[in-house]
Amino acid sequence: RVAIDNLRYHSSTPLEAIAPGVYIGSWEDGYESSRMLIPEILYRVELEGAPVVMVPGNDAIIVTGDRSEEGLAAMANAVLNVDPQRPLSRSVYRHVDGQWQVWEPDSVYPNLVDFAQLRVAEIHGSYDEQKHYLDQLYEKRGEDVFVATAMVVENDETGVQTLCSWG
């Protein structure tokens, strides 16, 4: 409770508009993503619908409304072009009835294909990280275990997909 109150105290600066209906936190204190714990900050700006956030890193929070297809497209584009120091999530969270819920905007707006790309990129990154640590572990143990490399492919017919091959 004390930490949240302290964060709230240091959050008086409003969110900054980067596109119509799209905002970022500009506190530059490394706690931008933690502002999800203080949803009233998100209601200080004009949004179309319920607040939707992405927190690609501890130092980034991007906000728009769930009824703004243009805002959601701009949000996805912003996340695709950010390289956070400490990556967190490429998931989309929607604030409904006082709770954060994982949300897939492309299930409502099929033209927003960047969100599928973001989900696959996050899964791919997690797999690569696990593979790296598993390879190190098996080498240290002297065990001959093959951990497949995951690949991401995209084409016009099937969209974004992942695949692995075993030797």
Side-chain angles (χ1 to χ4, degrees):
R1 173 103 180 118
V2 173
I4 297 292
D5 288 342
N6 187 43
L7 188 61
R8 185 177 286 114
Y9 175 79
H10 292 284
S11 301
S12 59
T13 304
L15 293 163
E16 180 181 320
I18 60 167
V22 183
Y23 304 87
I24 60 168
S26 58
W27 298 279
E28 297 181 2
D29 59 6
Y31 295 102
E32 281 77 6
S33 62
S34 299
R35 265 64 178 211
M36 281 182 69
L37 301 172
I38 312 169
E40 66 263 22
I41 291 171
L42 310 176
Y43 289 95
R44 293 180 192 161
V45 294
E46 192 155 332
L47 301 172
E48 292 181 42
V52 174
V53 303
M54 293 184 78
V55 287
N58 67 301
D59 57 348
I61 185 168
I62 305 169
V63 184
T64 193
D66 68 350
R67 292 192 198 129
S68 173
E69 187 171 359
E70 181 180 310
L72 290 162
M75 172 187 271
N77 186 53
V79 172
L80 284 168
N81 293 305
V82 73
D83 187 20
Q85 280 185 315
R86 295 188 186 118
L88 289 181
S89 173
R90 292 188 174 216
S91 296
V92 179
Y93 302 92
R94 182 170 59 167
H95 197 250
V96 178
D97 298 327
Q99 300 291 317
W100 287 109
Q101 302 170 349
V102 175
W103 187 54
E104 295 181 357
D106 47 323
S107 67
V108 177
Y109 303 104
N111 293 330
L112 296 176
V113 295
D114 287 344
F115 287 100
Q117 184 179 353
L118 287 167
R119 280 193 302 278
V120 170
E122 182 168 35
I123 292 166
H124 183 256
S126 295
Y127 184 88
D128 277 353
E129 186 175 3
Q130 290 174 17
K131 176 186 174 8
H132 170 75
Y133 289 117
L134 286 170
D135 285 342
Q136 285 183 336
L137 174 69
Y138 292 132
E139 183 178 336
K140 183 178 178 180
R141 289 182 178 174
E143 296 179 38
D144 185 23
V145 177
F146 176 76
V147 181
T149 298
M151 293 169 275
V152 177
V153 294
E154 181 176 6
N155 69 48
D156 294 336
E157 289 180 31
T158 59
V160 179
Q161 296 179 314
T162 58
L163 58 100
C164 291
S165 64
W166 287 264

